[in-house]
Amino acid sequence: MSRQKLIIDPEFKGLIRPLTTSEREQLEADLLADGCIDSIIVWDGIIVDGHNRYEICTEHDIPFSTTEMSFDSRESAMAWICARQLGRQNLSEATRKYLIGVQYDAEKLSAAHRNKMGLNQYGRLDPESEAEIDNSSPRRPYTAERIAKENNISPATVLKYSIYSRAVEKLKHKVPEIIPKILSGKYKISHDNVIDLAERSPQEIRKVMRGIEDREEASNRYKVPRSAMQEVSQGKEPEQKMRTTVKDMPAFDPDAELIGLTLTIPSWVSSMDRLQQNVMLDKVTSRAKLQLIKALVTLDDKAIKLTQYLGGGPRE
């Protein structure tokens, strides 16, 4: 047992689900009563598992032991942390999506570092898109397929979560304070809206945050308590303070729908650019190509009609 000083890496710690107040109090009580039974796992002196135990032990001068792990890169360490966290309970759906996405991207980067020739850890060419997998010959599972199996989802969902986690990282750099609210589930923001939000300016993001907080406050303010419901059921008028007025409601924004669509389109463009840069077309099936072409033709037709509707006239 020791009291050595360990390194807390902010990026590694950011992959750990924060404890609730009651969870931290319980952990603190257990450590004070029984000592630090489980060792803190480290990599070259950097904590990869046991951040909360280390902080409490340091605060109360409680001895602890460490277990050294070996990773060939920072990305490998991050992938291991994500996989370990995903095996734990009480994860919000947003946190689960984020960790799966981070694990996938970290493993891909780790494989790239290991082999500069463009081969993955299994000695195979490893394109960004793994939606189409050739089942005609035996082979080791691709990264997305393996992670999908570990988490009972599809490989396509793993790739979708990768896009989500990158959007969260963008938001983290722009407005760090929004991340705990998204990952904890306090802010109920859909997958697509998180991606859209990541493309906005910090000022716009904070404006959205204020809007969410205002709506939540208004929702709590206007919830009718059971006593008021009983008064209504008895034919009585509830107290005046329970009533809402038009001026209390959030202001209507006529531009909201257009702005939302405008902010969505850059992510489509980015996906198209990434496809052209990374996908190996000779490996893609004709069926997948035809499906995408059909979707693009439909999108093009809709774009022409919407442009005309908005007053832009026919495109040349």
Side-chain angles (χ1 to χ4, degrees), residues 1 32 45 64 68 70 95 109 149 151 158 163 175 215 232 235 239 246 255 275 280 283 297 310:
M1 304 293 278
L32 287 170
F64 57 85
E68 183 73 27
S70 178
T95 295
L109 284 171
K149 187 175 182 180
N151 293 279
V158 173
I163 296 172
V175 183
R215 283 196 296 273
V232 173
E239 294 183 20
V246 173
D255 293 344
L275 183 149
M280 302 173 65
K283 303 292 183 181
V297 169
L310 294 172

Side-chain angles (χ1 to χ4, degrees), residues 247-275:
K247 69 178 182 179
D248 294 323
M249 302 304 291
F252 170 67
D253 183 359
D255 293 344
E257 289 290 339
L258 273 68
I259 291 173
L261 180 58
T262 302
L263 292 170
T264 303
I265 292 173
S267 67
W268 301 349
V269 174
S270 177
S271 296
M272 293 177 190
D273 289 341
R274 188 165 58 250
L275 183 149

Side-chain angles (χ1 to χ4, degrees), residues 49-100:
D49 187 73
H51 292 82
N52 296 303
R53 277 176 282 131
Y54 174 73
E55 290 176 356
I56 295 172
C57 287
T58 301
E59 180 182 347
H60 294 284
D61 199 27
I62 301 172
F64 57 85
S65 61
T66 60
T67 298
E68 183 73 27
M69 292 286 291
S70 178
F71 299 106
D72 56 20
S73 68
R74 181 180 181 83
E75 289 75 22
S76 292
M78 291 178 66
W80 183 88
I81 294 171
C82 290
R84 190 170 178 86
Q85 287 296 303
L86 285 165
R88 293 178 172 167
Q89 298 179 343
N90 301 326
L91 291 180
S92 70
E93 183 59 23
T95 295
R96 181 171 171 271
K97 289 165 59 175
Y98 172 69
L99 289 173
I100 290 173

Side-chain angles (χ1 to χ4, degrees), residues 126-142:
D126 207 10
E128 176 69 16
S129 173
E130 301 178 88
E132 291 292 336
I133 300 173
D134 180 9
N135 293 313
S136 61
S137 59
R139 46 95 178 110
R140 296 286 295 275
Y142 279 113

Side-chain angles (χ1 to χ4, degrees), residues 65-310:
S65 61
T66 60
T67 298
E68 183 73 27
M69 292 286 291
S70 178
F71 299 106
D72 56 20
S73 68
R74 181 180 181 83
E75 289 75 22
S76 292
M78 291 178 66
W80 183 88
I81 294 171
C82 290
R84 190 170 178 86
Q85 287 296 303
L86 285 165
R88 293 178 172 167
Q89 298 179 343
N90 301 326
L91 291 180
S92 70
E93 183 59 23
T95 295
R96 181 171 171 271
K97 289 165 59 175
Y98 172 69
L99 289 173
I100 290 173
V102 173
Q103 180 185 354
Y104 171 76
D105 284 342
E107 289 197 22
K108 300 289 286 184
L109 284 171
S110 177
H113 292 330
R114 283 196 295 271
N115 196 326
K116 300 298 184 181
M117 297 301 292
L119 302 178
N120 65 13
Q121 61 267 48
Y122 307 123
R124 300 175 61 89
L125 287 172
D126 207 10
E128 176 69 16
S129 173
E130 301 178 88
E132 291 292 336
I133 300 173
D134 180 9
N135 293 313
S136 61
S137 59
R139 46 95 178 110
R140 296 286 295 275
Y142 279 113
T143 307
E145 188 181 6
R146 177 176 49 75
I147 293 175
K149 187 175 182 180
E150 291 169 356
N151 293 279
N152 297 314
I153 55 178
S154 69
T157 300
V158 173
L159 300 178
K160 181 179 178 181
Y161 289 175
S162 169
I163 296 172
Y164 178 86
S165 68
R166 293 175 204 170
V168 171
E169 289 299 321
K170 278 187 179 181
L171 286 169
K172 185 184 295 185
H173 286 95
K174 291 180 178 180
V175 183
E177 61 267 29
I178 197 176
I179 302 306
K181 297 179 184 296
I182 291 176
L183 296 185
S184 67
K186 177 177 172 60
Y187 283 1
K188 306 294 184 184
I189 306 179
S190 71
H191 177 101
D192 290 340
N193 284 338
V194 167
I195 295 170
D196 295 343
L197 195 61
E199 301 302 325
R200 300 194 186 193
S201 68
Q203 294 79 10
E204 289 178 306
I205 295 169
R206 289 192 173 92
K207 184 177 179 180
V208 170
M209 290 179 68
R210 288 194 296 272
I212 294 173
E213 296 288 351
D214 289 345
R215 283 196 296 273
E216 185 174 303
E217 182 180 341
S219 175
N220 291 333
R221 187 187 309 138
Y222 302 136
K223 282 179 181 175
V224 181
R226 183 173 298 177
S227 60
M229 291 298 293
Q230 289 174 344
E231 289 179 0
V232 173
S233 66
Q234 295 168 5
K236 300 178 182 178
E237 284 288 333
E239 294 183 20
Q240 183 65 29
K241 64 181 180 181
M242 297 307 301
R243 297 176 182 171
T244 65
T245 63
V246 173
K247 69 178 182 179
D248 294 323
M249 302 304 291
F252 170 67
D253 183 359
D255 293 344
E257 289 290 339
L258 273 68
I259 291 173
L261 180 58
T262 302
L263 292 170
T264 303
I265 292 173
S267 67
W268 301 349
V269 174
S270 177
S271 296
M272 293 177 190
D273 289 341
R274 188 165 58 250
L275 183 149
Q276 289 180 290
Q277 294 169 6
N278 299 320
V279 173
M280 302 173 65
L281 285 180
D282 59 328
K283 303 292 183 181
V284 178
T285 65
S286 298
R287 177 173 169 271
K289 291 178 184 177
L290 289 173
Q291 286 179 331
L292 180 55
I293 290 171
K294 183 178 179 180
L296 290 172
V297 169
T298 300
L299 177 62
D300 185 59
D301 181 59
K302 293 289 185 182
I304 292 173
K305 291 179 179 178
L306 182 56
T307 301
Q308 294 171 347
Y309 174 74
L310 294 172

